[in-house]
Amino acid sequence: MPVIKIDYAGEKFSDDTIRELCEYTRTATSETMNLPLEDVTVNANKNQITAGAYPIEIYIQASPRHFPDELIMEKILDGMKEKIAAFKSLHNIQTPFNIAIIKMDWKFAIEI
């Protein structure tokens, strides 16, 4: 179950653009990782206070079973870079985005 977190500078992006980015990123992650859409969640947060932060950071977090080796992580990162570049082009966004793939060694319970 990948969790995507998007941190962004509120003065650079409209709420509508971020909503679209959330849905787009969710679908792109589902497709890139070959997972059902309902297994992918996205949260976006406006930065309140920053020091040296990029205008937008996308963190894709998932368990080691989703990223069994570095080659898979690179493949997913490359696929996401292409999809995010397409989103930026479609919305004429010139602001640079950062994307991080993070292997999380976690245990969780859902729908308690």
Side-chain angles (χ1 to χ4, degrees):
M1 176 171 157
V3 174
I4 295 108
K5 301 212 181 259
I6 301 174
D7 294 332
Y8 66 98
E11 68 276 1
K12 297 255 185 204
F13 303 97
S14 72
D15 288 348
D16 288 340
T17 299
I18 295 300
R19 274 189 205 92
E20 286 183 50
L21 176 63
C22 285
E23 289 299 327
Y24 184 90
T25 303
R26 182 174 183 230
T27 300
T29 302
S30 169
E31 292 170 356
T32 302
M33 295 180 71
N34 198 26
L35 296 169
L37 185 61
E38 59 271 9
D39 285 358
V40 181
T41 62
V42 181
N43 298 301
N45 297 295
K46 284 184 192 177
N47 295 332
Q48 298 298 312
I49 300 170
T50 62
Y54 269 81
I56 194 158
E57 303 267 0
I58 301 171
Y59 304 98
I60 301 170
Q61 305 169 338
S63 67
R65 76 178 178 89
H66 291 102
F67 308 130
D69 59 49
E70 294 298 315
L71 186 59
I72 298 293
M73 288 180 80
E74 286 293 328
K75 182 179 175 185
I76 292 168
L77 181 59
D78 289 344
M80 291 305 296
K81 285 173 16 185
E82 286 180 24
K83 291 179 184 293
I84 295 299
F87 178 87
K88 287 178 58 179
S89 178
L90 181 67
H91 290 83
N92 197 28
I93 297 172
Q94 303 302 314
T95 305
F97 285 29
N98 286 350
I99 304 172
I101 305 287
I102 305 164
K103 191 183 307 185
M104 302 292 288
D105 192 16
W106 55 16
K107 302 288 181 209
F108 57 87
I110 58 175
E111 297 184 24
I112 307 304

